[in-house]
Amino acid sequence: DGVGLDKADTQLVWDFTTASRASNTGWMVHMRDEAETLVGESGPGYTITEVDTTIDPVNIAFKLTGTMDVPLYLDTPDPGASLLFGDDGMPEPNGTYQVEWELLIPQSALLAPSKLLQHGHGLLGSYDQIESEHFRTFCNTNNYSIFATKLVGMAEEDENFIVSSIADGKLDDLAHMFDRMHQGTLNSLQLMTMMSRGMTQDPTYGPLLDGDERYYWGISQGGISGGVYMALSKDVERGVLEVMGQPYNLLLNRSVDFEPFFAIVNLRYPDPRAQQHFLGLVQMGWDRVEPNGYTKHIFNIPFPGSPPNRRVLMRAAVG
């Protein structure tokens, strides 16, 4: 009645709550900005743990693996972790922890400093996917140093936790996956800062890197999460998102990579209608760490500190 509708003429009335931009993106933007202040201008401290010159002598001069010290916003670094929150309702840091990374410096960098290319790995993968032959050849041909870290939350060590949560029907446990994806996104952002500002000052390997040339290339899951990365990054103006998409609850039904997971879903929820309810419920948590909540912020409504001339190339596979 308060809006001028006669009850006798009304068939159905309902109300619902929609997510706000602040709700979807506020935690991640807060973590990005606070962590940037905590680590300082040169980015997180790093340690090189291994140097390999034999991985591909034709294309790769150095394979470096190491760790970096990133602010930890979880109660534990392991799968099943939860975000910690302060009195302001925002994620609260819990010290730092060591995040693994890998860097391949091409032979061409011995002739001229190489451009920096951050890679986003595929479904439940790891940073070592950059060792594929086509990456090694591409980087040497075009003088890119390629590097990566894990998107924790949807990395190789998270698979058992995700599978068991679905198999046991504990959908609320998947909130821990989304919490860890916040940390994984932060780790990715911090890695570019470390490489372009800290590693470029390294007395041995810094002269081989051009910290002013910074790019992102994500494939499959890395293409999807790359939409979040490109919206949040203050360092990267150019990115490639390959076989990307959004939102996850639409993509999952259409991805061959998720067939093993749907075999488990079918056992727990055989009714296709229940499966769609499952995906819809899970999506509400995903919105905070997948491009569904961030795409508009790449161009139209950029976050503070965004590069002014950002561009994204999307490579889609039809069919």
Side-chain angles (χ1 to χ4, degrees):
D1 289 344
V3 293
L5 298 176
D6 192 324
K7 287 183 179 180
D9 297 329
T10 304
Q11 292 182 318
L12 180 65
V13 175
W14 74 98
D15 63 60
F16 58 93
T17 301
T18 60
S20 66
R21 289 183 186 135
S23 175
N24 274 345
T25 65
W27 294 357
M28 200 61 250
V29 172
H30 170 81
M31 291 170 62
R32 177 199 68 174
D33 293 343
E34 184 176 64
E36 182 181 53
T37 301
L38 290 172
V39 302
E41 195 167 315
S42 296
Y46 68 90
T47 300
I48 297 172
T49 57
E50 184 179 356
V51 179
D52 182 359
T53 59
T54 64
I55 180 175
D56 179 359
V58 173
N59 292 297
I60 302 301
F62 302 102
K63 168 191 165 184
L64 307 182
T65 53
T67 61
M68 60 177 178
D69 296 317
V70 177
L72 176 66
Y73 284 81
L74 304 169
D75 57 353
T76 170
D78 304 315
S82 299
L83 279 170
L84 298 175
F85 293 90
D87 294 337
D88 59 358
M90 288 294 171
E92 181 78 7
N94 178 28
T96 63
Y97 84 121
Q98 293 189 332
V99 176
E100 296 177 337
W101 50 264
E102 181 173 320
L103 167 66
L104 301 182
I105 301 176
Q107 293 286 353
S108 54
L110 302 178
L111 303 177
S114 56
K115 302 178 287 290
L116 297 178
L117 177 60
Q118 183 164 357
H119 180 250
H121 64 70
L123 178 66
L124 298 170
S126 182
Y127 50 76
D128 59 6
Q129 289 182 2
I130 63 174
E131 296 177 16
S132 297
E133 181 180 3
H134 64 284
F135 285 135
R136 303 196 309 266
T137 303
F138 172 86
C139 288
N140 191 40
T141 302
N142 298 282
N143 200 24
Y144 286 97
S145 283
I146 190 170
F147 56 92
T149 187
K150 296 178 183 178
L151 178 64
V152 299
M154 290 192 72
E156 57 184 3
E157 65 263 32
D158 295 287
E159 183 171 358
N160 289 339
F161 175 83
I162 295 169
V163 168
S164 63
S165 296
I166 297 172
D168 295 341
K170 297 179 179 179
L171 298 190
D172 53 327
D173 279 357
L174 291 178
H176 300 295
M177 177 180 74
F178 306 130
D179 284 359
R180 268 176 58 83
M181 288 181 71
H182 280 79
Q183 184 69 51
T185 302
L186 177 65
N187 295 349
S188 294
L189 295 169
Q190 293 259 298
L191 180 60
M192 177 58 83
T193 304
M194 184 274 281
M195 287 291 178
S196 62
R197 301 179 198 170
M199 184 65 76
T200 54
Q201 303 304 311
D202 188 272
T204 303
Y205 304 104
L208 306 177
L209 308 173
D210 183 349
D212 294 326
E213 295 276 356
R214 303 179 294 268
Y215 304 94
Y216 177 87
W217 182 9
I219 299 175
S220 189
Q221 180 183 292
I224 297 168
S225 63
V228 181
Y229 179 97
M230 288 303 299
L232 288 166
S233 177
K234 296 182 179 181
D235 295 316
V236 178
E237 291 186 352
R238 300 290 187 270
V240 176
L241 309 181
E242 193 161 351
V243 290
M244 80 313 296
Q246 65 180 56
Y248 261 109
N249 68 331
L250 182 68
L251 295 173
L252 298 190
N253 295 277
R254 294 160 173 80
S255 172
V256 66
D257 290 334
F258 279 91
E259 286 184 357
F261 293 93
F262 271 112
I264 300 170
V265 172
N266 280 323
L267 290 174
R268 174 59 67 170
Y269 310 104
D271 188 333
R273 295 167 297 183
Q275 293 176 14
Q276 294 308 308
H277 283 299
F278 161 79
L279 292 174
L281 287 169
V282 170
Q283 182 60 44
M284 289 192 291
W286 241 320
D287 286 342
R288 286 193 167 109
V289 278
E290 70 116 89
N292 185 51
Y294 289 83
T295 304
K296 62 179 69 70
H297 299 290
I298 298 178
F299 302 113
N300 297 336
I301 315 171
F303 294 123
S306 296
N309 300 307
R310 193 155 47 196
R311 293 291 181 270
V312 170
L313 173 66
M314 294 184 291
R315 296 185 64 195
V318 179

